[in-house]
């Protein structure tokens, strides 16, 4: 772009002779109009022109935010550092001092071509990365659907006792796992598991772990011991379940990932719950009157130390009492000030929700967590299972399903 017709013709002859297609404009206004309609790889503009000067044109040209980059060269008689800095600040890439040398013009244009070639390569790479990202996104969406397919029911009844489940991953897929299975007519096993880490790796391990608590066949369930000689099957104590899981992870699962576990063997007649706590948050017991107590002594996570020792403890539930097993995504949920929700706040929240039961209780808990965090999505997986104990009544529908998130 130049206000001199003769200068434009000279540049046009040179550029076309080097194999370039050219378009000329007599003013900054005309050039802006052309650039708004057509992309140009290279822009040559004089600095000094009537009306809109080259500096103003460059600034407005860059403000158009074109999809593809253009190399901008200013032609000027100015060669002081202040002028150069001014041009660079508004978006010029290079300068040519008038009168322009043909060799220098060719060299500056070649430099611009190299930069544009690199920009195209970067753009091509980014497009390829976007395609990979889109493919991964589709795979993760499918993985999320598969995980959700395992969540058959969030609420189950066992006689007059009830179980409700909360599962929300921090991303597409997560590593938290909750579920229940039938041990006998009067007993159920209930578990809450948190695999370390997030994302696909944690989700794959939690899927493997879910198979260890198979409800369909006791022979496939890690909570049962099988005598090969007599063929007798017996339920393991919660401490034995944790120890067996620990041995299995260290011996067969080639991963540096570990998990925490809270597992309860609940007698639906007596209300006695035998519990193991392996690195998991302290289970919460809420009495009928609303008082909340946190039980357990901690214990080692599963999959860290060979031959780790675990111990069980008992809790007696009366009619109207409930037991809450949950992951640390609840107690460690942070607000905008990096403060954790904490065990004490959870206890107070449970007391305020004493009249809410089952899914209503869990949905209220999740809502209060979101309000605390200031967002709907959490930075860690959030899960839990609440067991509401009542007088026992036999039922043929006692078939809870394992859940994974």
């Amino acid at each position: 772009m130049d206000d001199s017709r003769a200068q434009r013709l000279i540049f046009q002859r040179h550029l076309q002779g080097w194999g370039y297609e050219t378009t000329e404009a007599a003013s900054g206004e005309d050039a802006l109009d052309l650039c708004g309609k057509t992309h140009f790889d290279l822009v040559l503009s004089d600095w000094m022109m009537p009306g809109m000067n080259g500096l103003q044109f460059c600034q407005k040209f860059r403000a158009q935010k074109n999809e593809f980059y253009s190399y901008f060269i200013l032609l000027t008689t100015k060669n002081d550092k202040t002028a150069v800095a001014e041009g660079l600040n508004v978006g010029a890439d290079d300068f040519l001092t008038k009168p322009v040398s043909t060799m220098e013009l060719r060299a500056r244009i070649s430099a611009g071509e190299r930069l544009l070639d690199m920009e195209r390569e970067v753009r091509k790479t980014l497009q390829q990365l976007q395609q990979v990202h889109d493919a991964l996104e589709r795979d993760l969406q499918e993985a999320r659907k598969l995980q959700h397919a395992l969540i058959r029911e969030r609420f189950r009844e066992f006689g007059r006792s009830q179980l409700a489940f909360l599962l929300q991953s921090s991303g597409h897929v997560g590593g938290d796992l909750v579920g229940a299975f039938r041990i006998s007519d009067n007993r159920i096993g209930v578990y809450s598991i948190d695999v370390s880490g997030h994302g696909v790796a944690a989700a794959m391990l939690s899927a493997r772990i879910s198979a260890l608590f198979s409800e369909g066949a006791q022979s496939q369930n890690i909570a049962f011991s099988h005598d090969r000689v007599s063929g007798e099957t017996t339920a393991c104590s919660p401490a034995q379940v944790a120890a067996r899981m620990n041995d299995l992870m260290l011996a067969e699962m080639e991963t540096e990932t570990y998990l925490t576990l809270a597992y309860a063997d609940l007698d639906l007649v007596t209300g006695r719950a035998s519990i193991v706590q392996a690195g998991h948050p302290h289970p919460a017991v809420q009495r009928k009157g609303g008082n909340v107590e946190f039980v357990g002594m901690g214990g080692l996570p599963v999959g860290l130390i060979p031959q780790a020792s675990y111990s069980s403890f008992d809790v007696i539930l009366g009619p109207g009492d409930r037991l809450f097993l949950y992951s640390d995504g609840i107690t460690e949920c942070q607000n905008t000030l990096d403060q954790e929700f904490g065990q004490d706040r959870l206890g107070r929240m449970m007391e305020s929700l004493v009249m809410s039961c089952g899914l209503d209780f869990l949905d209220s808990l999740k809502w209060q967590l979101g309000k605390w965090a200031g967002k709907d999505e959490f930075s860690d997986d959030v899960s839990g299972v609440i067991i509401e104990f009542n007088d026992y009544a036999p039922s043929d529908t006692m078939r809870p399903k394992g859940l994974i998130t």
Side-chain angles (χ1 to χ4, degrees):
M1 180 191 71
D2 198 300
D3 60 334
S4 169
R5 174 65 176 166
Q7 286 291 327
R8 296 200 306 272
L9 288 174
I10 291 171
F11 284 122
Q12 187 179 58
R13 187 177 71 249
H14 287 313
L15 291 168
Q16 290 179 351
W18 297 331
Y20 297 101
E21 296 180 3
T22 62
T23 301
E24 58 177 291
S27 68
E29 291 80 4
D30 290 344
L32 271 179
D33 184 59
L34 287 169
C35 292
K37 299 174 182 178
T38 306
H39 170 72
F40 297 97
D41 291 325
L42 174 70
V43 178
L44 286 171
S45 174
D46 195 7
W47 187 310
M48 300 303 296
M49 294 180 297
M52 183 187 299
N53 63 29
L55 204 66
Q56 294 167 332
F57 165 60
C58 182
Q59 188 173 28
K60 291 185 178 182
F61 170 73
R62 291 303 189 199
Q64 287 182 333
K65 300 185 183 302
N66 297 312
E67 181 181 358
F68 301 100
Y69 193 75
S70 298
Y71 197 78
F72 197 106
I73 300 177
L74 270 175
L75 310 175
T76 179
T77 57
K78 301 180 180 183
N79 56 12
D80 61 280
K81 293 182 178 179
T82 301
V84 171
E86 194 175 3
L88 292 172
N89 282 335
V90 298
D93 297 295
D94 206 348
F95 297 85
L96 277 171
T97 303
K98 299 171 67 174
V100 177
S101 162
T102 303
M103 291 182 61
E104 186 177 7
L105 174 62
R106 182 66 183 272
R108 297 299 178 91
I109 291 176
S110 295
E113 282 189 309
R114 290 194 296 271
L115 185 144
L116 292 173
D117 286 343
M118 288 188 289
E119 189 263 346
R120 293 186 190 101
E121 286 298 318
V122 170
R123 184 180 292 275
K124 181 179 179 181
T125 301
L126 289 176
Q127 289 174 342
Q128 292 172 341
L129 289 174
Q130 184 64 49
Q131 291 172 353
V132 172
H133 176 272
D134 292 343
L136 179 59
E137 180 74 13
R138 290 192 295 271
D139 288 344
L140 288 174
Q141 291 290 354
E142 289 303 312
R144 186 181 184 90
K145 291 178 183 178
L146 289 173
Q147 284 199 329
H148 285 180
L150 296 175
I151 306 174
R152 300 187 182 279
E153 293 177 282
R154 290 186 58 206
F155 176 82
R156 292 296 300 176
E157 290 185 328
F158 298 85
R160 293 197 181 97
S161 295
Q162 303 170 342
L163 265 68
F165 304 92
L166 168 66
L167 301 139
Q168 180 165 324
S169 59
S170 59
H172 289 87
V173 290
D176 278 15
L177 175 68
V178 293
F181 56 90
R182 186 177 182 179
I183 296 175
S184 67
D185 288 344
N186 300 334
R187 289 165 59 193
I188 58 172
V190 185
Y191 55 88
S192 172
I193 293 173
D194 183 359
V195 176
S196 64
H198 304 285
V200 176
M204 290 181 68
L205 181 56
S206 66
R208 171 75 187 279
I209 296 298
S210 68
L212 298 179
F213 291 100
S214 168
E215 186 186 4
Q218 291 185 346
S219 61
Q220 304 298 320
N221 193 315
I222 197 169
F224 294 90
S225 176
H226 315 282
D227 190 313
R228 295 183 179 180
V229 177
S230 66
E232 183 180 356
T233 298
T234 57
C236 300
S237 71
Q240 290 173 325
V241 172
R244 296 181 74 183
M245 288 187 64
N246 187 71
D247 293 342
L248 181 65
M249 286 191 65
L250 291 172
E252 297 185 15
M253 299 183 186
E254 297 181 359
T255 176
E256 296 180 358
T257 304
Y258 64 92
L259 60 86
T260 64
L261 164 72
Y263 169 69
D265 180 337
L266 174 63
D267 190 314
L268 295 168
V269 176
T270 65
R272 180 182 296 276
S274 181
I275 305 172
V276 63
Q277 181 192 8
H280 218 60
H282 294 282
V285 176
Q286 185 166 31
R287 300 302 177 183
K288 183 177 181 179
N291 182 57
V292 176
E293 56 187 285
F294 292 92
V295 297
M297 299 297 292
L300 293 170
V302 173
L304 280 182
I305 301 175
Q307 298 180 338
S309 177
Y310 300 92
S311 58
S312 304
F313 61 92
D314 289 347
V315 170
I316 303 298
L317 300 178
D321 292 347
R322 54 190 182 186
L323 173 66
F324 186 36
L325 310 180
Y326 55 93
S327 69
D328 62 11
I330 294 178
T331 51
E332 295 182 4
C333 178
Q334 293 184 333
N335 62 11
T336 55
L337 300 177
D338 294 332
Q339 298 171 324
E340 293 187 348
F341 193 72
Q343 179 178 283
D344 291 342
R345 188 171 281 103
L346 173 60
R348 292 194 297 272
M349 186 215 67
M350 290 183 66
E351 290 174 355
S352 71
L353 296 175
V354 64
M355 301 305 294
S356 297
C357 299
L359 294 178
D360 288 340
F361 168 83
L362 294 177
D363 289 342
S364 296
L365 183 153
K366 189 172 73 170
W367 181 84
Q368 292 202 26
L369 271 184
K371 184 177 179 181
W372 168 260
K375 54 186 178 182
D376 294 330
E377 296 295 328
F378 302 112
S379 57
D380 193 7
D381 301 333
V382 170
S383 66
V385 51
I386 189 160
I387 307 156
E388 297 176 325
F389 179 77
N390 285 294
D391 293 331
Y392 176 73
S395 173
D396 293 332
T397 62
M398 292 172 24
R399 296 188 179 276
K401 304 296 181 182
L403 309 179
I404 181 174
T405 183

